[in-house]
Amino acid sequence: MEKRWGKMWTLMGLLLLNWVSNASSLSVTVNDVECVYEYVLYEGDTVSGNYVVVDHDIFWSSDHPGIDFTVTSPGGNIVHNLKGTSGDKFEFKAPRNGMYKFCFHNPYSTPETVSFYIHVGHIPTEHDLAKDEHLDPINVKIAELREALESVTAEQKYLKARDARHRHTNESTRKRVIGYTVGEYILLALVSALQVIYIRRLFSKSVAYNRV
Amino acid sequence: MSKGMSFFSRDRAALLLPIILVLCLTSRSNILPVADAIWLTIPSSGTKCVSEEIQNNVVVLAEYYVIDENNPDHIPTISARVTSPFGNNLHHNENATNGQFAFTTGESGNYLACFWKDGSHQQEAELTLGLDWKIGIAAKDWESVAKKEKIEGVELVLRRLQGTVEAIHGNLNYLKDREAEMREVSERTNARVAWFSIMSLGVCITVSVVQLWYLKRYFLKKKLI
């Protein structure tokens, strides 16, 4: 009875500790370089996440080369590098524990809004199981289940960010269609009115007998 | 033998658990850096803003704290402001080294949290701010649920997983609704493009016909033709 109580409390305590590996999804406006730091508790943890450039406010879409994404380990080496994309998913195994730096670099002067999500997931390994005899193999299964659900949540956040970007493009298209078409009609009417006025002037009495 | 071992393990668990819980909960100290917070750098001048697009009726729980290992006695202070998509001020704090705010979203849209350095520290280098931002199911207080329903251990963990699954289901429905809205806008724009292009041709022909008719009338009036 006491053994079960002790086991349960240790289990709960350790699971509470395991549960702090999480992050939230935020958007940040990148003018030149924006860096976000995240702490990885254990070596070998899987760091996963995604980012999407949401506010693509460029006139011609072929101009902008995209955002560069770099992950730097606490030792200074670059762990992950993605160049010139408008959004992607990433996943890597942390080579050591410590503070990791996730940087977005905008090569152009127009500010871009990047929505990102970073998650650090820890699954107890055989080594952790061997170290503490009160750590049940069920912990490993529960941690795996939790990580699988986290990956579904991460995918949903990615889809939501991509949907937001698509919505911006749609809104921009709608505004452009209405704006440019009405502008086109007005311009057409104006140009033809100017044409008529010009022709009238050519035939006006003060000028006509000298020119036409 | 087993009884002796179990007593030993109970004492160890009784010792270990409070230490773990204390380490987990003391997020403001540098003993155990909180793994669920991201760090941002606040520039010397200007503000650093983070935002998130949140739907209606979602709980937002956030905490921020200045991290400065160089001089722990004189920690620089920052100011923070959180605004709703309609412009209402949800949280405002000046000259603080840490703070927290919690609210339930009243409207869906972009929620913005901005941080900037106070006037007295403008000349110093950039400072690091830790931000712990949780919304929806991540912001749920599981300790109170455990206490109220008297569940613990594996059952609590599984209850949390169930909550996550329900949140995933809710998110999926939300994404589906958003996609339906966007599809409507797309189809409307598609119809408009076709309609406006044909109308543009019509406007062109009308304008040229009016032109010709007017010029003909004008020349007839002037007795030139």
Side-chain angles (χ1 to χ4, degrees):
Chain A
M1 191 61 198
E2 290 103 4
K3 191 175 183 180
R4 192 160 156 253
W5 179 87
K7 199 175 173 182
M8 210 154 53
W9 275 104
T10 326
L11 187 83
M12 198 173 110
L14 284 164
L15 283 170
L16 256 168
L17 189 62
N18 283 336
W19 211 286
V20 292
S21 317
N22 204 339
S24 54
S25 138
L26 289 171
S27 303
V28 76
T29 307
V30 181
N31 281 303
D32 184 22
V33 175
E34 290 292 340
C35 288
V36 172
Y37 302 81
E38 177 92 26
Y39 194 81
V40 176
L41 272 173
Y42 303 95
E43 175 191 328
D45 277 355
T46 311
V47 181
S48 61
N50 52 66
Y51 68 97
V52 175
V53 179
V54 168
D55 219 4
H56 215 66
D57 230 357
I58 308 285
F59 202 71
W60 314 111
S61 70
S62 54
D63 258 350
H64 202 274
I67 297 279
D68 305 330
F69 176 67
T70 320
V71 183
T72 315
S73 80
N77 350 327
I78 293 177
V79 179
H80 202 82
N81 197 1
L82 284 164
K83 279 204 165 297
T85 55
S86 62
D88 210 349
K89 295 196 280 193
F90 61 89
E91 184 174 336
F92 61 89
K93 234 174 155 66
R96 49 173 282 197
N97 62 345
M99 189 58 82
Y100 279 74
K101 188 162 85 161
F102 301 81
C103 284
F104 300 99
H105 170 240
N106 184 6
Y108 270 35
S109 53
T110 42
E112 303 276 314
T113 308
V114 177
S115 162
F116 61 90
Y117 173 71
I118 302 166
H119 171 67
V120 179
H122 175 76
I123 296 177
T125 59
E126 301 290 318
H127 183 65
D128 297 324
L129 279 175
K131 253 200 298 188
D132 183 5
E133 62 266 16
H134 290 286
L135 201 58
D136 231 345
I138 199 174
N139 279 45
V140 181
K141 283 296 163 204
I142 287 179
E144 281 176 13
L145 184 59
R146 185 168 40 83
E147 286 308 304
L149 286 178
E150 257 320 307
S151 74
V152 178
T153 312
E155 190 72 39
Q156 280 194 326
K157 288 191 157 84
Y158 183 50
L159 285 177
K160 184 173 154 191
R162 283 247 289 240
D163 173 276
R165 183 194 161 101
H166 194 182
R167 202 155 31 91
H168 276 116
T169 311
N170 261 3
E171 280 295 311
S172 167
T173 307
R174 186 184 70 90
K175 284 200 194 108
R176 278 184 191 183
V177 162
I178 294 178
Y180 288 5
T181 324
V182 170
E184 184 191 332
Y185 294 170
I186 292 172
L187 205 67
L188 202 61
L190 211 72
V191 162
S192 58
L194 281 172
Q195 267 185 329
V196 168
I197 289 170
Y198 182 67
I199 291 174
R200 270 183 69 141
R201 242 171 50 95
L202 284 175
F203 286 96
S204 70
K205 284 234 166 65
S206 56
V207 200
Y209 294 121
N210 300 334
R211 252 207 256 161
V212 177
Chain B
M1 183 70 166
S2 59
K3 202 156 181 197
M5 271 179 67
S6 71
F7 262 117
F8 176 70
S9 67
R10 184 181 170 173
D11 286 343
R12 203 169 68 143
L15 248 164
L16 204 58
L17 181 62
I19 294 174
I20 293 172
L21 283 174
V22 160
L23 284 175
C24 285
L25 295 169
T26 52
S27 52
R28 267 172 227 98
S29 68
N30 288 329
I31 301 170
L32 182 72
V34 179
D36 59 349
I38 58 166
W39 285 11
L40 306 161
T41 51
I42 309 234
S44 327
S45 65
T47 69
K48 183 64 152 278
C49 290
V50 288
S51 62
E52 186 169 359
E53 194 157 341
I54 312 175
Q55 49 191 120
N56 196 8
N57 221 14
V58 169
V59 176
V60 178
L61 194 66
E63 195 186 323
Y64 54 93
Y65 44 90
V66 177
I67 297 158
D68 196 0
E69 285 117 8
N70 300 332
N71 42 351
D73 305 317
H74 179 62
I75 302 177
T77 57
I78 50 125
S79 303
R81 169 177 273 131
V82 181
T83 43
S84 81
F86 286 177
N88 306 336
N89 201 354
L90 292 164
H91 171 81
H92 185 62
N93 206 0
E94 302 251 2
N95 286 337
T97 55
N98 57 43
Q100 58 200 64
F101 53 89
F103 57 90
T104 308
T105 56
E107 57 255 350
S108 73
N110 217 23
Y111 284 78
L112 190 69
C114 287
F115 306 94
W116 64 95
K117 269 191 177 183
D118 281 333
S120 53
H121 302 288
Q122 290 283 353
Q123 302 84 18
E124 289 158 21
E126 305 185 325
L127 60 79
T128 317
L129 179 85
L131 176 65
D132 182 11
W133 174 279
K134 292 201 265 268
I135 68 165
I137 192 75
K140 190 158 177 179
D141 186 9
W142 289 105
E143 281 106 40
S144 67
V145 170
K147 243 180 271 173
K148 192 175 75 168
E149 303 191 15
K150 296 185 184 40
I151 53 178
E152 56 192 13
V154 178
E155 193 180 341
L156 181 64
V157 165
L158 289 178
R159 185 64 93 80
R160 284 182 76 151
L161 290 178
Q162 185 189 13
T164 311
V165 170
E166 280 166 7
I168 287 174
H169 186 86
N171 271 339
L172 208 51
N173 282 328
Y174 174 64
L175 284 176
K176 200 173 73 161
D177 292 334
R178 282 255 288 242
E179 189 268 337
E181 263 174 41
M182 214 171 43
R183 198 164 19 92
E184 255 175 69
V185 171
S186 268
E187 286 176 358
R188 232 183 301 144
T189 307
N190 183 24
R192 274 190 190 154
V193 164
W195 175 234
F196 283 1
S197 304
I198 293 174
M199 223 168 78
S200 145
L201 189 67
V203 165
C204 201
I205 292 173
T206 312
V207 159
S208 50
V209 162
V210 166
Q211 247 187 344
L212 285 172
W213 169 82
Y214 181 79
L215 283 172
K216 188 164 178 191
R217 204 186 70 146
Y218 178 73
F219 288 153
L220 278 170
K221 207 167 68 164
K222 293 286 180 186
K223 303 225 180 7
L224 286 164
I225 53 172

